[in-house]
Amino acid sequence: MANPLIDDRTVDFILHECLSITDLLKLPRYSGHSRETLEMSLQTARKLARERLFPLYRAMDLDPALYRDGRVHTHPAMKEVYAQMAEAGFLSASRPSTVGGMELPHAAALAMIAYLAAGNGSAYGFAGLTTGAAHLLESFGSDELKRTYMEPMYAGKWTGTMALTEPHAGSSLADVRTTATPRPDGSYLIRGSKVFISGGDNTFSENIVHMVLARMDGAPAGTKGVSLFCVPRLRVEDGKLVENDCGPSGTFHKLGWKGLPSIALQMGDRGDCRGWLVGPANQGLRCMFQMMNEARLMVGVGAMAVASAAYHEALQYARDRPQGRALTNRDATTPQIPIIQHADVRRMLLAQKAIVEGSLMLLLTCARYADLMEASENEEERSSARQMLDLLTPVAKTFPSEKGFEANALAVQVLGGYGYTSEFLPESYLRDQKLNTIHEGTTGIQSMDLLGRKVLMDGGQSMRALVEVMEKDMAAAKETPRTAELADELKAALDAWVEALTVLGGRAAGGDIDAAMQNSVAHLELAGQAIVAWLWLRMATVAERALPKAPEHDRAFYEGKLRAADYWFHHQLPRVYTLATLLKREETSFTTMPLEAF
């Protein structure tokens, strides 16, 4: 059986039974859609992912994008598949009709993207980055920039990127050195170097539009002096495309995602690279955070997707591979049994299922908050959704990446000796997955964002809002016997989390911010464990209510959700207590380690 990439029934379960996505269609922005149109779009994504993107995955991994003769040469098949993604509307699925978009709810669009990313993360990466770059111009660009550069990106003629990182600065955007000097015609001369620019060059699109952070002459130091610029590979002059002194100087040879090149980008070597200001001067980082937050969710989706594809590879292998016999069977003449019947293999498969589906629920929940934030007619609801989305975004980026890597390692383990060979896909999926813990802000950066900016700096308001939502779901779970016990377990874990945050908040209020923040990664891990437990509780509550009325062919599906919830609560949630103890203890082994002792 071919790899389904993502389980269709689970996607439908989360969208309709858990998140009631059709309720969003009552909002004026989405009123042009129905459940039928959403399903049609989803089926298009499934078909394209399974029939075009997935068959190309291995070829793109084995034949990576390479720098040659001043350009990065991408896989020849990308020209056709990129055009197919564009023609299907995936580049502007959630964008308004005024820019040629399909105006789908974000939750529906994210589900579609998940299939494409599971089919071929490298191929979809070009599309996702282009959507983010075009959306920046849609939000902050002038009418002329929208006509000239945004429209061809949404139409699929050109691709786009985000160009932030510089060789000397890494993730420290306060240290950006790329310069922007004003010209009389309103454009700027751009000069500088960027590195690790995903999708920064290709041989299938007519043009590439970079969204670049740079510093104007005389701008203030630090992030307050960074501006955002539109810098195309080819600029438009008198209706024609001409060279813009902007292009690759080489590619990085990556562990995974080999079909999506990561390049070093040079701008202005000949003194003729033109860029155009996007948004207000010296507020480039504020504008860029729109694309950065979208990209963080995109990385989370990609991480969930590659974990899902690997899980289904392992599941099929476990069903087909005979090896060994039941412990009670001492007769060596009897046939061997499929390894899925062995307890440890089932443990590894259930762990993968719990991570994958918990991640999917988390990401679709975030997308639903994005829908309410943008489309609700109630200001209080919009504000509440924004608060929840801001809080959940670092978790939605990190949890699928870090736990997804664990899931991918388990997929390799299920295949045993075959798992670490390139003849089977889990090996390449494991390589792909590792990139996601680094892309768009490492786990350490996300942890500081969550604890420092999203929890401590707002005085705990966001955390209290999350607790309130979780308590409502715990109350609902108490109404059904099987999930009532899980609700009690979540309440105890939540109390431990809040108690740890109280201690950290006291340290921060006392002026010892370093002590409050030094174990921020442990806090992010704790948050992921607890938040996904909350979401598994929601899924389990829905499943328990549906099970008595379910037709025979659907009963195993709901039982699977309940067993996965049990696994999460009994194998993963208890880690909250260990992490909470660590946070309260102020463990300092690494911060007090003498540098010369490493």
Side-chain angles (χ1 to χ4, degrees):
M1 184 181 76
N3 189 328
L5 306 177
I6 297 174
D7 181 61
D8 295 347
R9 180 69 180 85
T10 295
V11 172
D12 292 341
F13 168 74
I14 294 174
L15 285 177
H16 298 294
E17 297 179 59
C18 297
L19 298 179
S20 302
I21 188 178
T22 49
D23 288 350
L24 295 171
L25 306 183
K26 300 172 186 175
L27 301 173
R29 176 167 175 170
Y30 304 130
S31 60
H33 287 286
S34 64
R35 179 162 180 168
E36 288 70 30
T37 63
L38 300 186
E39 184 61 25
M40 287 173 57
S41 298
L42 200 51
Q43 290 292 3
T44 300
R46 288 165 173 163
K47 182 178 175 66
L48 181 59
R50 289 164 179 162
E51 296 182 8
R52 293 294 294 127
L53 295 182
F54 182 53
L56 186 60
Y57 170 75
R58 185 185 287 277
M60 289 180 66
D61 183 62
L62 295 175
D63 185 15
L66 294 175
Y67 178 74
R68 187 174 65 249
D69 302 325
R71 295 298 306 276
V72 177
H73 295 258
T74 43
H75 196 282
M78 269 304 305
K79 187 175 184 66
E80 182 182 356
V81 297
Y82 192 82
Q84 289 174 324
M85 286 190 283
E87 185 179 351
F90 296 135
L91 299 181
S92 56
S94 63
R95 305 313 313 141
S97 57
T98 53
V99 296
M102 297 168 66
E103 219 148 36
L104 285 167
H106 289 290
L110 186 143
M112 294 158 56
I113 288 167
Y115 281 96
L116 304 180
N120 190 323
S122 291
Y124 175 71
F126 288 105
L129 288 162
T130 300
T131 297
H135 189 200
L136 276 181
L137 291 178
E138 179 191 336
S139 298
F140 305 110
S142 66
D143 290 342
E144 183 177 357
L145 284 179
K146 291 176 185 178
R147 286 192 303 271
T148 307
Y149 295 104
M150 178 196 75
E151 290 180 5
M153 282 195 282
Y154 275 147
K157 292 175 60 180
W158 299 352
T159 57
T161 77
M162 56 195 300
L164 288 69
T165 307
E166 297 185 2
H168 66 281
S171 299
S172 180
L173 299 179
D175 296 305
V176 163
R177 291 179 187 166
T178 297
T179 60
T181 303
R183 299 179 72 253
D185 65 358
S187 67
Y188 291 77
L189 285 177
I190 309 295
R191 183 186 293 272
S193 302
K194 300 286 183 178
V195 292
F196 304 131
I197 309 307
S198 295
D201 195 30
N202 66 73
T203 46
F204 64 82
S205 68
E206 185 181 35
N207 197 9
I208 301 147
V209 181
H210 306 286
M211 305 305 292
V212 176
L213 290 183
R215 195 176 299 280
M216 291 182 179
D217 295 346
T223 57
K224 294 181 179 179
V226 175
S227 299
L228 177 62
F229 295 88
C230 171
V231 183
R233 186 181 77 84
L234 303 174
R235 64 179 185 255
V236 178
E237 289 186 0
D238 300 323
K240 297 180 180 179
L241 291 174
V242 300
E243 291 289 339
N244 192 39
D245 192 12
C246 170
S249 59
T251 57
F252 296 94
H253 301 94
K254 298 187 297 180
L255 179 71
W257 283 36
K258 290 177 175 290
L260 180 69
S262 181
I263 76 161
L265 180 67
Q266 291 297 121
M267 297 170 288
D269 282 357
R270 300 186 301 275
D272 190 33
C273 178
R274 314 280 179 85
W276 288 266
L277 183 65
V278 179
N282 300 327
Q283 294 189 37
L285 201 55
R286 180 181 67 81
C287 298
M288 183 58 90
F289 260 111
Q290 173 182 285
M291 186 173 182
M292 290 165 68
N293 283 328
E294 290 171 350
R296 285 169 179 174
L297 291 177
M298 188 176 84
V299 170
V301 172
M304 180 283 303
V306 74
S308 179
Y311 162 62
H312 286 289
E313 287 288 325
L315 178 60
Q316 191 59 49
Y317 181 89
R319 284 172 170 159
D320 293 342
R321 165 71 169 170
Q323 185 176 314
R325 294 165 184 83
L327 293 176
T328 55
N329 183 1
R330 302 289 184 177
D331 185 356
T333 65
T334 59
Q336 297 188 83
I337 59 174
I339 63 172
I340 198 171
Q341 295 186 32
H342 297 304
D344 193 51
V345 173
R346 292 161 87 168
R347 174 190 64 83
M348 291 188 285
L349 291 171
L350 187 53
Q352 292 174 69
K353 178 182 175 70
I355 291 168
V356 167
E357 295 179 5
S359 296
L360 181 59
M361 178 69 172
L362 172 59
L363 290 156
L364 288 172
T365 298
C366 286
R368 198 181 194 286
Y369 281 128
D371 284 314
L372 294 175
M373 180 184 76
E374 292 186 9
S376 174
E377 295 186 292
N378 182 296
E379 174 56 36
E380 184 178 347
E381 187 173 47
R382 287 199 303 273
S383 177
S384 176
R386 181 179 295 107
Q387 184 180 52
M388 289 291 288
L389 181 60
D390 285 347
L391 180 68
L392 292 175
T393 292
V395 181
K397 186 274 175 185
T398 304
F399 178 88
S401 304
E402 291 285 1
K403 298 299 286 188
F405 187 73
E406 291 183 25
N408 281 91
L410 289 171
V412 169
Q413 192 77 8
V414 168
L415 270 70
Y418 292 110
Y420 53 70
T421 68
S422 58
E423 283 76 17
F424 290 81
L425 291 177
E427 176 267 345
S428 56
Y429 285 142
L430 184 68
R431 289 188 282 104
D432 287 348
Q433 185 67 280
K434 187 55 200 164
L435 277 64
N436 292 314
T437 65
I438 298 170
H439 279 162
E440 302 313 322
T442 63
T443 298
I445 289 173
Q446 301 300 328
S447 73
M448 291 188 286
D449 179 41
L450 176 65
L451 182 57
R453 198 173 288 125
K454 305 296 173 59
V455 175
L456 297 181
M457 280 180 62
D458 80 343
Q461 292 183 39
S462 298
M463 188 64 194
R464 284 191 289 272
L466 175 62
V467 169
E468 185 177 335
V469 174
M470 293 171 76
E471 286 178 339
K472 289 179 181 177
D473 286 328
M474 286 186 277
K478 295 281 282 184
E479 297 174 3
T480 51
R482 194 162 170 180
T483 52
E485 181 181 346
L486 301 184
D488 290 337
E489 293 178 20
L490 180 58
K491 179 63 168 65
L494 182 57
D495 289 345
W497 182 12
V498 171
E499 181 182 342
L501 283 176
T502 302
V503 173
L504 296 181
R507 289 177 193 152
D512 197 351
I513 192 66
D514 287 335
M517 294 295 295
Q518 67 186 13
N519 281 305
S520 60
V521 170
H523 172 260
L524 177 54
E525 183 182 352
L526 185 161
Q529 300 281 3
I531 286 169
V532 171
W534 157 52
L535 296 172
W536 265 115
L537 182 67
R538 291 183 68 181
M539 288 190 282
T541 303
V542 173
E544 185 172 2
R545 289 174 176 169
L547 190 56
K549 301 173 289 185
E552 189 63 32
H553 70 273
D554 228 12
R555 293 183 64 83
F557 173 83
Y558 290 116
E559 280 288 354
K561 296 293 175 277
L562 290 165
R563 301 293 182 187
D566 287 341
Y567 170 85
W568 195 261
F569 273 77
H570 300 150
H571 289 256
Q572 299 291 328
L573 186 62
R575 299 183 187 188
V576 164
Y577 301 106
T578 302
L579 294 166
T581 299
L582 175 66
L583 293 172
K584 291 184 292 184
R585 183 180 292 158
E586 196 177 352
E587 201 283 319
T588 61
S589 58
F590 51 90
T591 55
T592 58
M593 175 78 165
L595 298 184
E596 63 274 13
F598 277 101

